[in-house]
Amino acid sequence: MAKTWKEWEKPLIELDEAIAKIEALIATSPEDKQDELGVRLAEVKARRDRYIDVRYSRLGPWEKTLVARAERRPYTLDYVTALITEFTELDGDRRYGADHAIVGGPGFFNNRPVMVVGHQKGRNIQERQFRNFGMAKPEGYRKAIRLFDMACRFGMPIITFVDTPAADPGVESESRGISEAIAASTMKMFELEVPVVSVIIGEGGSGGAIGIAVGNRVLMQDHAIYSVIPPEGCAAILWRDPEKGPQAAAALRLTAESALELGLVDAIVPEPKGGAHRDPLQAIHAVRDAVKEHLDALTGLDGRTLREQRYAKFRAMGRFDGA
Amino acid sequence: MRTEGRGADGAFCQCLGCKKILLKSELDEALGVCPNCSHHHRLGAAKRIELTFDPGSFEEADTGLASSDPLGFPEYADKLSKARAKTGAGDSVVSGLAALGGRRVATAVADFDFMGGSMGSVAGEKIARTLERGVEHACPVVLFCTSGGARMQEGLLSLMQMAKTVAAVQRCRDHGIPTLGVFTDPTMAGVLASYASVVDVILAEPKALVGFAGARVSKQAGVSKVPDNFQTAEFCLEHGMVDRIVPRKEMRPTLTRLVKSLGGHLNG
Ligand SMILES: [Zn+2]
């Protein structure tokens, strides 16, 4: 069983590389070779497309976990760059310091002022360290609280992008109250009298996710995951074997389909064939359309109604016997 | 008193702190606190209720709620029935109305012996209902926490209990209902990062384990060097995350005073 997205998609990556090679060859080959190379190119492309068709037609929970973590997947700032005009990132938490695993600020979405808050991961080693692997410290949640509060006072709808393996588990974060920061951010979201749309765009990792995921509408990309615990962690606890991540992923039902079925998200945002990382722009546009649709539906509702709706929505979550 | 697994048979038991052999009756009389080393042994929900509230004042509510294994999670049904047999309770939280110094309070008390006090749909529902009961009866809310975190056997449903319980605390704030939390050993992860950390007053029992990331998670994340008192009630107090550490014998008078002063504006 593959353990990373790269491992899992290796055959596909090899086909991509073969295609690139032939294309380079075509660019430098004489006229009389072109037809033959063209045929070969078409052949390999067809093989790749068939491969994508087959692999992505039945992604299991573990495969989705790998795809959700793919480092080529669009991250929050990719959505911001593509969809938010005149964005100004605001960094301060006014308490301790700057956190780079949660980003946010005001801008315009569809020509309307909005506040954006989202987790941010990095793509290379330096970026990943700078973003703390998308694991926010207390400062990140306290920055989010400030931005939420501002948005509420200025009547700006809020869009949050959720993509974190977990909140930061380090000693410093404990010292500065990571639990309180998450809980306070969660609570702040219940006080907001503006529309809030949250999108799970990659990993919805436990408490670190919920702290910025209390939307009036919660959307989830088709191959994103949303889970109370990472499957590897679950496997370590249940079976004392982190290698059993695939079994745990299945047991946890961490897919968008299951979340929708359980009534915990409102809609699934489709992804391009082969996942969001294969055609980021198309993925971003699908998110744009979904966010627009759901924000539009919330527009015009008064603050009190929005708050009540959010309370009722989360209050109803849970499955049990008896009354 | 639950000190099982340590020669708990007969009239004697062993302190989990200093390992001294104690008379069970002696430990019981001391509210489960070792007379030798002050180790606070864990209490089941029923015992906690008995030791905390006015005698006979507790009226249990929400007794009909039961976990339903909504995901068909491996071994969950079995674990549930074992926990029910062990504790005699329906789930990890017991909720209802009680009185402190003659004043009504809504309360929810967690029990570590029920699947590590983990919070799934039922625990979340009981805590939310307790907070709403405070609003309904215009009385303060007292929450005794002990939990390893969210119950992974209910997957995302458990995660959502974090949001749900926080929402209910928020509702109390809106209605001027004081909320008091007591961190007992251990108060961790999804419970600490939700309702437990946003109540108005946070008390903790001495030496209680209190933290966000379990040791296993920290280890996986490469956290190695930690302060001696890391993730204890004392560490939390030092860092401003807890208001007071209250030894067990002082818990009842402390809560009674707080309920009286913070709930002074409420009737009853
Ligand atoms: Zn002792």
Side-chain angles (χ1 to χ4, degrees), chain B residues 15 17-19 34 36-39:
Chain B
C15 171
C18 65
K19 315 286 179 212
C34 173
N36 185 45
C37 75
S38 293
H39 180 82

Side-chain angles (χ1 to χ4, degrees), chain A residues 20-33:
Chain A
K21 239 182 239 166
I22 300 169
E23 277 170 346
L25 215 55
I26 288 175
T28 56
S29 293
E31 195 68 34
D32 61 322
K33 293 273 184 194

Side-chain angles (χ1 to χ4, degrees), chain B residues 109-126:
Chain B
V109 180
D111 194 327
F112 192 78
D113 274 347
F114 198 108
M115 293 189 72
S118 58
M119 178 165 72
S121 296
V122 170
E125 182 69 19
K126 285 189 174 186

Side-chain angles (χ1 to χ4, degrees), chain A:
Chain A
M1 191 69 82
K3 271 199 251 175
T4 66
W5 158 75
K6 269 195 182 137
E7 227 177 286
W8 181 70
E9 226 173 47
K10 198 163 169 245
L12 195 51
I13 293 166
E14 280 167 4
L15 286 167
D16 279 339
E17 283 165 2
I19 288 165
K21 239 182 239 166
I22 300 169
E23 277 170 346
L25 215 55
I26 288 175
T28 56
S29 293
E31 195 68 34
D32 61 322
K33 293 273 184 194
Q34 292 289 330
D35 281 359
E36 191 197 323
L37 285 168
V39 170
R40 258 179 68 198
L41 181 66
E43 231 176 66
V44 183
K45 275 190 170 167
R47 258 174 65 200
R48 178 190 63 186
D49 293 346
R50 268 201 313 278
Y51 186 86
I52 292 173
D53 277 342
V54 172
R55 279 233 117 161
Y56 275 83
S57 65
R58 46 193 161 101
L59 288 192
W62 179 247
E63 288 73 30
K64 292 215 178 207
T65 303
L66 300 181
V67 171
R69 293 170 177 169
E71 66 264 26
R72 275 198 229 151
R73 212 177 157 80
Y75 293 155
T76 292
L77 286 177
D78 301 311
Y79 288 95
V80 167
T81 303
L83 305 180
I84 308 295
T85 53
E86 299 185 59
F87 176 72
T88 311
E89 191 176 342
L90 302 178
D91 253 355
D93 76 331
R94 302 291 193 276
R95 294 287 183 274
Y96 178 83
D99 182 77
H100 304 292
I102 287 182
V103 296
F108 291 82
F109 175 72
N110 272 317
N111 302 314
R112 271 176 76 188
V114 293
M115 188 67 79
V116 180
V117 172
H119 299 103
Q120 181 66 30
K121 294 179 178 173
R123 290 209 165 82
N124 56 42
I125 291 170
Q126 289 87 351
E127 263 182 36
R128 268 185 217 149
Q129 276 172 352
F130 180 67
R131 300 293 177 189
N132 195 31
F133 307 89
M135 300 189 293
K137 297 179 177 172
E139 299 76 68
Y141 295 97
R142 288 172 183 146
K143 167 168 63 185
I145 291 171
R146 278 193 61 227
L147 299 179
F148 292 151
D149 183 66
M150 238 190 280
C152 187
R153 282 186 284 122
F154 305 144
M156 302 159 79
I158 295 166
I159 305 169
T160 70
F161 294 105
V162 178
D163 188 14
T164 180
D168 181 69
V171 176
E172 283 190 31
S173 286
E174 290 274 12
S175 308
R176 297 196 292 273
I178 184 66
S179 300
E180 189 275 346
I182 290 170
S185 183
T186 309
M187 176 173 274
K188 185 73 200 175
M189 295 195 86
F190 281 107
E191 295 168 2
L192 299 171
E193 304 206 337
V194 290
V196 183
V197 174
S198 299
V199 194
I200 319 297
I201 56 168
E203 288 180 276
S206 60
I210 200 79
I212 64 164
V214 185
N216 293 88
R217 301 288 171 92
V218 181
L219 317 177
M220 188 164 167
Q221 276 183 315
D222 198 3
H223 304 326
I225 58 168
Y226 202 178
S227 185
V228 67
I229 183 170
E232 295 90 337
C234 176
I237 294 171
L238 270 190
W239 302 301
R240 314 218 169 266
D241 184 3
E243 303 288 311
K244 289 198 170 142
Q247 288 93 314
L252 288 164
R253 297 230 230 146
L254 42 62
T255 63
E257 203 184 354
S258 295
L260 187 70
E261 230 175 74
L262 292 166
L264 306 178
V265 303
D266 298 286
I268 297 176
V269 183
E271 291 191 31
K273 198 192 276 180
H277 58 283
R278 193 147 268 278
D279 190 347
L281 208 58
Q282 201 189 323
I284 288 167
H285 287 162
V287 167
R288 175 196 63 197
D289 295 346
V291 171
K292 185 179 180 306
E293 180 197 330
H294 288 274
L295 263 189
D296 285 350
L298 297 167
T299 303
L301 298 177
D302 65 89
R304 195 74 227 165
T305 307
L306 287 164
R307 253 183 97 157
E308 284 301 321
Q309 189 268 336
R310 214 178 292 119
Y311 186 87
K313 173 189 173 71
F314 283 87
R315 182 64 186 83
M317 290 179 183
R319 291 269 175 105
F320 48 81
D321 291 333

